[in-house]
Amino acid sequence: MTGNKIPVGPFHPLLEEAEYFELKVDGETVVDIDMEIGWMHRGHEYISEQKTFTQSIYLVERICGICSTSHPLACVHAIEDIDNIEIPLRARYIRTLVGELERVHSHLLWLGLAGHFIGYDTLWMWAWKYREPTLQMFEAISGNRNHYGMMRVGGVAKDVDPAIIPDLLKILDEIDRKMEMIAKAAKDDPVLKSRLVGVGVLKKEDAIAHCVVGPTARASGVAIDVRKDEPTDAYDLVNFNEIVLKNGDVYDKLVVRVLETIESNKIIRQCLEKLKTVGGPILNNVKEITPGEGIGRYEAPRGEVFHYIRSDGTNRPVRHKVRAPSYVNIPSFVASCKGIPVADVLITLAAVDPCYCCTERALRVVDAHDRPFELDLQRLSRTKTEQIRREIYGK
Amino acid sequence: MGWYQRRLAKSLWVFHVSGSPCNNCDIEILDLLTPRYDVERFGIKLVGSVRHADVLLVTGVFNKKVAPRIRRIYEQAPKPIFVVAVGTCVSGGCCFKESYNTVPVREEVIPIDMYIPGCPPKPEAMIEAVAKLIGVLNG
Amino acid sequence: MNGWTFFYLLVFPGLLFTAVLGLLVGWIDRKVSARVQYRVGPPLLQNFNDFFKLLGKETLIVKEGVRSMFVLAPLVAFGTTVLIATLIGMPLFEKWLSGFNLPIASGFDGDLIVIMYLLMIFSVMLILGGSATGNVYSSLGAGREIKLLIADELAFILVCLVPIIKSGYTLRLSAIVTAQASAGAFIGSVSGVIAFIIGILCLQAKMALPPFHIAEAETEIVEGPLMEYSGPLLGFWKLNQLMMYVFFPLLLIVLFCGGFNLQGWGILWAVLKYVGIVVVLVLIKNTNPRVRIDTALNFFWKYLTPLGLIAMILAVLGV
Amino acid sequence: MDEFKQFRELFGTKIGQVIQKPRRLFFVVKEEHLLEIVKYLFDGIGCRLSTATAQETYHGLEILYHFSLDKAGIYFCPRIVISDKQNPKVLSITALVPGAVWIEREMFDLWGIEFVGHPRMEQLLTLNSPENPNQPLRFGRQA
């Protein structure tokens, strides 16, 4: 089916972000993929150089809405790395608590959207319905649903009031129960399994070549996790296991995220228990930062967030480099999207859970002899699910 | 207050325009559709095409690449149309004012009728804004 | 054409009655779907508000589109909908109206065939409206609408043939109703039940309800043919779709369930029949996701049409 | 930190000024040794290129590559100083590290550093944006 040239603008009704993909298609399989980004570019590094260290922590929080405590954590680690600043024990637990809670709410958000793309709106409604208690916990701890403003150089800004810990634990039990149900629904559903197994495989060598991070890498067998490799905050004081699977298809990426959410719940429980007993200050205020360079890393829900800060003794960073995990995960589409049917492209793009949600639903597809035609990924993706359901249930 | 305004107030069809946001306000807008804050009670529906829209929910501080397209989206919408700015980014430029790549004044790109400050504005705040919009319509 | 025909056309079984009932029944559909997703769902008069709001909006007509067809399509479709509603409504409410000794225009020979053609015209108008805008998404949606039309038209004709055969080869709706009054509702017989089930699925496709709402898939190709419509024209399209909620179940009732006898308990039985069919449609709507166009095509041709033929043969044998 | 010691014995002569911290190693590299060191880091001990930072200092444009050895949780950071500020040119490492395509394109976009041998040398973030802010992060930038 070839159509005339279609100005597929980056705006699509249900799309959160503006993204623009271009696939070269030969019949049904994808031959080449090209991406044009830049709709989101707000020039963080430029602004950050005009702000003081504390101000740039607030700025850095607004890079990505759904992993909004990963960037401040990495930024604070970078500043502390310049002078090897130590932070009090209670602050370490609070930092880990907020970081893991955000991993739960980010993974549930992704699970809902993944269900939405392959035509399972009930999974979307469920996942987002059971994500609300997590946001309730955030409001109890930091007063805001997403941008928490918890991090400071040398500690944490707000303390977790021990009085509210019992009902935080109650909410956590409720989330655990629901998480088991969602995990069962997502993992053992035959249609979902046959729909996602073997789709958009990212082989281990490709993952290493493209320097991919986070669940995308762990699903392909590359065992990198900043929480285990360079345990800062309280990650060396809590015990949890790192989930690494082998065959790197979309199904494994889903299972990695679901198991990680369960692990995160365990970490949160341990942190809350410790916060009942561990007392002490939550911030040893740092007077001034000596000239030097610092690298800060944190395991965001999508992968390793990297911050590099260079200071020259004043209270403003001279250079502040930020690298979000999706920056390296997205180019890996070239490897994982080649040779797969067009219907699977959308779920493969979404499986990386791109941080600025570039889950483009319509895109310009160019067929073998370069005639562009309009193709809607979402419809294809849903109908393929439908086709598989028909085979399985024989309806 | 005309009889027609009351009808318009009770059935606002919403179209979501994202101008380089940090996608937090977009997630909060989608939160409004999920079971906990269901806005269909007020007859608000997320529609797929600009032609059907009554309210344009604009998020994000516009960067230079996105601004002309948002202008075009506004021109395509049938009048009367309301533009509701969700989040501090659109209302006041938030922390991205000094950047080289963002449009300094957003009102030049698209005339904004209502601002919902907050980063991100709580779903309750958005519902309250909708109630005010209905109030404004009801006169 | 005495004054009463206009009354029948514009007020009772025609425009006013169908529109109001359609808007009410549309609310049931939205409310049940919302409840399935744990949501609260819209208030009762929501569809009325939507329709009147759309009437007040500005109509934007695409410059390079075919301007006249763009405007004409919804109006002609609206006209056909009103005509269909009257043609179906008359045989149903004939006895009730004769109670008030009003002159009855009770249809004519072959009005079932006219209804089938009018339904075809409705789909054609949707196709023309969609492709008149020159917008790629709309022409894509119009293309799908054609495929869908081909898919369910054949099955629908077979469904209508069964009651014709069973009521002694008459093509008159009121004759079918009277035949059923004597020989018991056609749904009782085996062929009647099969035809009724195929009829329900054809309705699902004709009314573009999920799982066959491929043409106006909201999250995919942006409302399909209706993408470029705004204001009153869009209002008429939405009203047409909601009026279908009224006259399609009524058509099935006339063909298979022996029409209404509105005396005493008859009224309750009539309402029950109507609401039953609507609930079945809504349940099918909520339980399955969207189907791809070629899956829909071979579903209709590979399964439903042979089944319709079997039902027809059984009807001929008199089962 | 035996990896650091081992690395410094191997490349002691080829690297200039070194700053060693508990888990970080910053060292200056001349351009001709860059590919050799990147090959050792990426293929040899299996580091992952996290990103590269460009910085304008008074004695020239500076590029700092960040290689992360995940097993040990440490970072190797080779640093190249390009003295010619008018049209800075550097060898591209995309041949060795496919993941560096976007990283180098961004530096070309925001800093104007030309990477010789890059498969697709064009802007990344400000591609066909209405008014081109060309190299906004350089000193002579007009805000």
Side-chain angles (χ1 to χ4, degrees):
Chain A
M1 131 175 153
T2 56
N4 45 27
K5 189 157 185 346
I6 308 131
V8 180
F11 286 99
H12 198 277
L14 286 190
L15 170 74
E16 290 100 26
E17 249 58 42
E19 268 315 314
Y20 192 84
F21 288 87
E22 201 174 272
L23 285 106
K24 233 187 234 341
V25 172
D26 176 10
E28 191 55 36
T29 55
V30 174
V31 171
D32 183 16
I33 183 166
D34 177 26
M35 286 146 274
E36 181 199 331
I37 61 170
W39 314 96
M40 296 294 134
H41 180 55
R42 292 157 290 187
H44 275 273
E45 289 153 10
Y46 172 78
I47 303 170
S48 171
E49 278 152 21
Q50 289 143 21
K51 298 241 190 258
T52 65
F53 282 111
T54 1
Q55 283 171 341
S56 76
I57 292 174
Y58 281 100
L59 171 74
V60 144
E61 205 168 36
R62 264 99 185 144
I63 287 178
C64 163
I66 26 184
C67 47
S68 83
T69 196
S70 327
H71 285 281
L73 263 173
C75 176
V76 158
H77 287 162
I79 300 171
E80 280 150 13
D81 185 36
I82 297 176
D83 301 336
N84 299 330
I85 301 164
E86 271 310 308
I87 67 170
L89 185 58
R90 187 171 173 82
R92 292 170 65 177
Y93 280 116
I94 292 175
R95 277 191 184 175
T96 312
L97 170 72
V98 174
E100 288 308 315
L101 255 176
E102 188 190 53
R103 196 183 314 283
V104 170
H105 110 77
S106 173
H107 282 334
L108 279 178
L109 184 140
W110 174 79
L111 196 64
L113 283 184
H116 181 54
F117 296 148
I118 53 174
Y120 269 152
D121 276 354
T122 37
L123 184 61
W124 177 26
M125 286 294 175
W126 272 15
W128 283 48
K129 183 172 192 317
Y130 298 128
R131 179 176 156 259
E132 290 296 332
T134 326
L135 297 176
Q136 243 176 337
M137 277 174 87
F138 269 132
E139 277 193 62
I141 294 171
S142 68
N144 193 356
R145 287 162 62 95
N146 281 89
H147 293 312
Y148 323 121
M150 289 287 275
M151 301 309 157
R152 279 295 169 284
V153 183
V156 179
K158 302 168 194 145
D159 194 352
V160 177
D161 167 14
I164 61 169
I165 288 183
D167 47 29
L168 287 184
L169 282 170
K170 243 203 296 353
I171 297 179
L172 196 60
D173 303 341
E174 188 197 326
I175 296 176
D176 270 352
R177 260 198 327 281
K178 298 289 187 337
M179 214 34 233
E180 300 306 330
M181 188 174 60
I182 288 184
K184 196 163 45 58
K187 278 199 323 197
D188 314 341
D189 181 335
V191 180
L192 212 61
K193 199 188 269 281
S194 56
R195 171 76 175 85
L196 298 179
V197 169
V199 168
V201 177
L202 184 67
K203 290 188 288 300
K204 186 166 184 182
E205 316 78 41
D206 286 340
I208 294 171
H210 282 89
C211 313
V212 170
V213 286
T216 324
R218 288 195 285 276
S220 305
V222 180
I224 49 171
D225 186 339
V226 178
R227 298 177 294 177
K228 286 286 184 190
D229 307 343
E230 189 185 343
T232 55
D233 305 336
Y235 283 113
D236 40 13
L237 311 172
V238 287
N239 43 46
F240 65 100
N241 35 43
E242 185 189 356
I243 292 126
V244 182
L245 300 175
K246 300 188 294 318
N247 34 34
D249 52 11
V250 174
Y251 182 70
D252 269 10
K253 288 174 183 151
L254 181 126
V255 169
V256 161
R257 287 196 172 92
V258 167
L259 294 181
E260 262 178 20
T261 321
I262 296 171
E263 288 304 316
S264 300
N265 278 341
K266 267 191 252 160
I267 298 175
I268 295 168
R269 193 176 295 283
Q270 290 166 39
C271 285
L272 283 177
E273 296 302 338
K274 282 284 194 333
L275 280 176
K276 282 184 193 159
T277 53
V278 167
I282 56 167
L283 179 73
N284 40 13
N285 34 39
V286 177
K287 281 291 164 285
E288 47 96 30
I289 311 281
T290 59
E293 292 159 306
I295 288 178
R297 310 162 65 192
Y298 176 72
E299 184 64 28
R302 280 153 201 79
E304 179 220 29
V305 170
F306 173 89
H307 277 245
Y308 162 81
I309 286 188
R310 162 185 272 183
S311 84
D312 57 359
T314 65
N315 64 355
R316 285 179 200 286
V318 171
R319 175 75 172 108
H320 183 172
K321 171 71 182 173
V322 173
R323 197 268 296 147
S326 308
Y327 194 85
V328 277
N329 286 346
I330 287 176
S332 74
F333 292 153
V334 179
S336 64
C337 268
K338 277 219 169 73
I340 63 168
V342 182
D344 295 338
V345 163
L346 177 70
I347 193 64
T348 323
L349 301 185
V352 163
D353 189 2
C355 173
Y356 37 85
C357 301
C358 41
T359 52
E360 174 70 26
R361 276 154 179 79
L363 83 165
R364 202 156 63 89
V365 178
V366 182
D367 64 8
H369 16 71
D370 244 350
R371 281 199 307 276
F373 59 96
E374 196 273 343
L375 200 61
D376 197 302
L377 284 180
Q378 166 121 17
R379 172 181 56 73
L380 282 170
S381 157
R382 280 168 182 258
T383 40
K384 180 143 200 243
T385 318
E386 193 38 49
Q387 205 180 334
I388 289 171
R389 163 182 288 131
R390 201 172 300 291
E391 282 141 23
I392 287 183
Y393 292 131
K395 193 142 80 300
Chain B
M1 205 302 285
W3 174 83
Y4 172 68
Q5 265 75 14
R6 262 204 302 280
R7 295 283 77 76
L8 180 62
K10 287 203 168 59
S11 104
L12 291 168
W13 288 2
V14 164
F15 181 70
H16 168 236
V17 179
S18 82
S20 64
C22 76
N23 76 40
N24 206 325
C25 297
D26 311 311
I27 301 290
E28 295 297 292
I29 289 173
L30 280 179
D31 260 355
L32 288 180
L33 303 170
T34 45
R36 181 159 185 188
Y37 298 103
D38 176 27
V39 267
E40 212 184 343
R41 303 174 268 145
F42 310 118
I44 294 165
K45 199 168 76 155
L46 193 65
V47 281
S49 145
V50 177
R51 295 276 195 263
H52 305 188
D54 297 328
V55 177
L56 287 181
L57 277 177
V58 185
T59 61
V61 50
F62 309 148
N63 73 3
K64 292 209 169 77
K65 195 171 185 177
V66 161
R69 289 164 191 254
I70 291 181
R71 180 80 207 159
R72 213 182 309 154
I73 288 260
Y74 177 73
E75 278 142 12
Q76 284 171 356
K79 310 292 174 276
I81 187 95
F82 299 96
V83 179
V84 176
V86 179
T88 343
C89 281
V90 197
S91 317
C94 181
C95 36
F96 306 113
K97 277 198 288 292
E98 307 89 4
S99 162
Y100 52 88
N101 201 13
T102 51
V103 169
V105 181
R106 278 152 302 287
E107 277 67 16
E108 278 156 15
V109 173
I110 186 167
I112 295 176
D113 300 325
M114 176 173 265
Y115 297 91
I116 310 177
C119 180
K122 285 200 169 16
E124 293 90 348
M126 287 198 216
I127 292 175
E128 192 216 349
V130 162
K132 283 211 175 81
L133 189 63
I134 290 175
V136 160
L137 286 178
N138 279 346
Chain C
M1 278 288 277
N2 52 28
W4 285 107
T5 353
F6 279 110
F7 168 75
Y8 294 141
L9 205 60
L10 294 184
V11 177
F12 179 61
L15 172 66
L16 207 59
F17 167 73
T18 332
V20 169
L21 194 58
L23 291 169
L24 281 178
V25 169
W27 172 72
I28 297 178
D29 164 24
R30 278 176 76 171
K31 192 77 175 177
V32 167
S33 320
R35 295 307 296 165
V36 163
Q37 298 170 353
Y38 298 113
R39 289 188 298 116
V40 172
L44 176 63
L45 297 178
Q46 187 49 47
N47 283 330
F48 288 90
N49 290 328
D50 288 352
F51 177 65
F52 290 125
K53 171 207 78 172
L54 283 174
L55 285 187
K57 291 276 285 188
E58 173 203 11
T59 314
L60 294 174
I61 298 177
V62 181
K63 200 158 27 49
E64 68 271 2
V66 178
R67 197 180 303 270
S68 55
M69 183 48 66
F70 181 81
V71 171
L72 218 58
L75 302 180
V76 170
F78 184 66
T80 42
T81 322
V82 167
L83 203 54
I84 297 170
T86 331
L87 279 176
I88 294 175
M90 275 322 291
L92 277 174
F93 301 105
E94 222 170 355
K95 278 198 290 306
W96 187 61
L97 281 175
S98 60
F100 306 101
N101 53 48
L102 298 169
I104 305 297
S106 71
F108 45 90
D109 259 353
D111 54 9
L112 187 55
I113 307 254
V114 168
I115 289 171
M116 276 192 244
Y117 274 106
L118 291 176
L119 286 175
M120 189 97 68
I121 288 178
F122 178 84
S123 303
V124 166
M125 279 304 138
L126 192 60
I127 295 159
L128 287 179
S131 46
T133 55
N135 173 320
V136 175
Y137 283 147
S138 307
S139 45
L140 249 170
R144 286 197 195 142
E145 187 70 33
I146 298 173
K147 294 193 195 94
L148 203 60
L149 178 65
I150 298 164
D152 61 48
E153 199 51 38
L154 189 56
F156 191 65
I157 290 166
L158 288 175
V159 160
C160 295
L161 276 179
V162 169
I164 293 170
I165 296 163
K166 292 182 81 63
S167 65
Y169 302 99
T170 63
L171 285 175
R172 201 179 159 101
L173 277 184
S174 46
I176 292 174
V177 169
T178 45
Q180 283 180 8
S182 56
F186 289 151
I187 200 163
S189 64
V190 171
S191 62
V193 168
I194 300 172
F196 185 78
I197 295 163
I198 304 171
I200 293 267
L201 288 176
C202 289
L203 285 205
Q204 202 79 15
K206 277 215 174 298
M207 286 164 62
L209 291 173
F212 299 111
H213 65 310
I214 306 155
E216 286 108 17
E218 202 252 347
T219 52
E220 282 137 27
I221 48 166
V222 188
E223 315 272 343
L226 302 183
M227 174 172 175
E228 290 297 336
Y229 278 97
S230 64
L233 298 179
L234 179 65
F236 278 114
W237 276 125
K238 295 282 181 191
L239 187 61
N240 288 345
Q241 274 158 5
L242 285 176
M243 282 167 83
M244 281 198 200
Y245 260 108
V246 174
F247 61 72
F248 267 128
L250 288 184
L251 179 64
L252 277 186
I253 289 171
V254 164
L255 292 178
F256 292 98
C257 315
F260 294 157
N261 49 13
L262 298 167
Q263 279 82 23
W265 283 108
I267 297 175
L268 179 68
W269 177 238
V271 168
L272 229 87
K273 270 192 254 181
Y274 175 69
V275 168
I277 294 179
V278 169
V279 162
V280 166
L281 287 177
V282 169
L283 281 182
I284 297 175
K285 166 179 187 273
N286 281 325
T287 43
N288 14 38
R290 196 175 287 109
V291 169
R292 192 168 42 185
I293 189 72
D294 48 1
T295 349
L297 266 170
N298 70 45
F299 175 70
F300 271 104
W301 277 351
K302 217 178 285 176
Y303 301 104
L304 288 191
T305 316
L307 214 60
L309 284 174
I310 295 164
M312 209 175 68
I313 293 156
L314 288 176
V316 168
L317 301 178
V319 160
Chain D
M1 288 311 123
D2 49 357
E3 288 90 355
F4 286 158
K5 240 201 311 338
Q6 190 191 355
F7 177 81
R8 291 178 73 165
E9 280 130 20
L10 259 169
F11 293 95
T13 57
K14 295 191 176 65
I15 51 178
Q17 177 227 1
V18 172
I19 306 168
Q20 177 151 1
K21 303 178 79 167
R23 283 173 178 270
R24 311 283 185 251
L25 186 71
F26 299 91
F27 50 93
V28 180
V29 170
K30 281 191 277 309
E31 208 181 323
E32 52 275 14
H33 301 309
L34 173 68
L35 288 184
E36 188 198 346
I37 286 186
V38 164
K39 189 160 194 39
Y40 169 75
L41 285 176
F42 189 66
D43 298 340
I45 49 179
C47 280
R48 170 177 54 85
L49 172 65
S50 186
T51 186
T53 317
Q55 166 72 16
E56 185 159 9
T57 54
Y58 288 104
H59 41 71
L61 267 169
E62 192 191 278
I63 298 181
L64 190 64
Y65 292 91
H66 302 280
F67 283 91
S68 141
L69 186 61
D70 291 312
K71 312 197 279 310
I74 55 175
Y75 258 81
F76 292 90
C77 302
R79 188 197 311 266
I80 298 177
V81 182
I82 316 158
S83 47
D84 158 20
K85 277 195 182 175
Q86 261 46 48
N87 47 20
K89 279 210 180 343
V90 176
L91 279 177
S92 160
I93 61 168
T94 39
L96 294 163
V97 182
V101 170
W102 270 22
I103 295 170
E104 287 179 349
R105 265 179 68 188
E106 189 196 1
M107 280 196 266
F108 168 71
D109 186 357
L110 298 183
W111 296 84
I113 302 166
E114 187 76 27
F115 286 88
V116 174
H118 189 284
R120 194 172 161 229
M121 200 72 251
E122 63 182 7
Q123 286 159 331
L124 179 72
L125 295 171
T126 53
L127 193 64
N128 55 43
S129 133
E131 346 117 7
N132 199 331
N134 55 25
Q135 301 154 17
L137 293 183
R138 290 286 292 272
F139 275 167
R141 53 187 181 261
Q142 71 298 352

